[in-house]
Amino acid sequence: MCIALMAVAWSGDANAQQPVKRWRAEGNPIIRHKFTADPAPFVKGDTLYLYTGIDYAGNQQGYKMHEWGLFTTTDMMCWEEYPTPLRVYDFSWARSRAAYAAHVVEKHGKYYYYVSTNTSGIGVAVSDTPYGPFRDAIGRPLLTNADCKGTTHSWACIDPAVVTDDNGQSWIFWGNRRCFAARLKDSMTEIDGDIMDITPVGSDFTEAPWVHKHDGRYYLTFACGWPEKLGYAVAERIEGPYRYEGIFSEVAGNCTTTHPGIVEFKGKTWLFTHDATLREGTGASRCVGVEELRYDAEGHILPCNLRHNSQYYIPDGQKHDAASADKLNTTAYLFAYFEGKGDRQEELRFAVSEDARHWKALNGNRPVIASDTISNTGGIRDPHILRGAHGDGYYIVATDMHVRKNGWGQNPGIVMLHSRDLTHWTHTAIDFAKEYPKAFGNVKWVWAPQTIFDPNEGKYLVYFTVCRKDAQQPDSINPQRSTLDFYCAYATSDFKGFEQEPQLMFSAAYGAIDGDIVIDGKGLYHFFYKGNVKNEKCEETITGIKQAVGHSLQGPWYEDGLFVDAYAGTATQVEGSSVFRLNDKDCSVPGQAEFVLMYDLFRNGPYEFQRTTDLFHFSRQPESFTKDFHPRHGTVMPITQKEYKRLKKMWP
């Protein structure tokens, strides 16, 4: 079916070249076999043509772009790639040799390719077909820095976008730090009249202007701020003045830049942009994705963030219970944590709540188990508590680490505990360097373990972050990526060790810690973790809570570049995320499942949370707990009234 559909994309044009690759998109990014950026969509008949820049390598530092690419679709699912339509070397005057953002339009039966070349200016090429090849139309730049009045930096003349108004007049928009516009003569190769500065007042305009029309008004969208977000302004006339309306898309995943390309196709409006969520993606190794763009009744653009949509990853018809525990009549909650203040900080503590908001520490906020009796170091951190899948008790795993005594230099492994009644626990401490000297003899950290039941294997999978002692040295495969990777292993039936040597589970683009996996009602696994964004120099710029998704614990995991916590991009840092499902009585909407994402604001002490119903979209305003203790990196498990009373009896 897909092949037949794709044939339509090129069979109608006798001059069209043949595609060099065909594939069916599996969500974002839509192009995965090479690195692409600066998308510029164009529609002709039943075909959408997507022109992009080509980032030359994964994990590169600095922009290396020398050619542009062409991809087409007739249904937004099946895609084709065509031979390179244009290279920066096709412009003899482009000494910068930089194939920056470009835009293709049609007029009078010809196709015009407007390109930016960084410091060399904006040029225009022409072809008789949308597939090219294109040739330099005028042998010199159409626009240069001299046309960007009020700017002094060398890259002011970039990012052209061309649109033809309803009266047939074509306009070109461009700029960096200032936004410029000018009429084009009917030849499409000359500027007609004065150049205007149309930078929207009140906006933090950076670059990448794009103009489209909706419901009688003109929308100027653009990248703003740094790292860049997408903002927009509106006007009644194409030349403005444009009124700034605000941000509609947040910082792109793993990427400091973004670039809008908006087009109507098949009855919908589509936003194309780029992030850097491919393996080895960086701020200079990007990838293009697409989302449907929507408006409210007043014409405001609704929030539209490029993300990985679960519909692409769930096999048709696959269903799964969210968790067997959901079938219990749970009415309260148990919070397992370690303390952030006092003399005995790194020990296991419990607190309870009847509504997941107001918490009381058990046992007077003293440890429920002394850490020096269960660990190798004398301390534990990051406890994760799990209800057994088949009434086989309860499970806790924790980091075996005593920072107050030993510092952050090294920790040997994890602690595993099992209980039949929540009050009496057996325990095992695993020293990775001793247990697995060949594979983990150089281990530096084994952090924040968690356990999840794998229904496909009928076993409990334990996963955790591993960092090795030589982590500061370049990774031979990916020199700019951290070696903070997730490993996993199945626990033995007695929960006192592993069946086999731990194996690599998932590598986030720039490393990650504090993993937490939950499953939704459709069988999709959501892997939350603390991740970050790095720029084109591979410098960490933003940290926060991110996620990857997959329909199996064995992967593949599809990393989403968006941050889900409310503090990403601010000075406030969070970690230790934990997601749990609310009891029915505590949900905002009766009968609708609701989850809580809670996290540790570790630099200043508080614990906060956000809500979600689908594990993709989270409330933006954090809410606070009330509590009589100072928790650090803990997890929550819903409990029954019987369990609640048993815990309070054991530890009043």
Side-chain angles (χ1 to χ4, degrees), residues 1 162 176 188 215 236 248 256 371 495 501 543 597 628:
M1 175 176 147
V162 177
N176 179 283
M188 301 295 283
D215 200 20
E236 278 61 52
F248 70 94
T256 51
S371 292
F495 208 70
E501 179 182 284
T543 66
L597 165 71
D628 57 355

Side-chain angles (χ1 to χ4, degrees), residues 132-149:
F134 288 80
R135 66 182 188 282
D136 187 355
I138 55 177
R140 55 179 171 76
L142 175 67
L143 295 161
T144 67
N145 287 342
D147 299 301
C148 304
K149 304 301 183 184

Side-chain angles (χ1 to χ4, degrees), residues 311 313-319:
Q311 67 177 325
Y313 306 127
I314 304 174
D316 293 340
Q318 180 176 349
K319 300 294 180 183

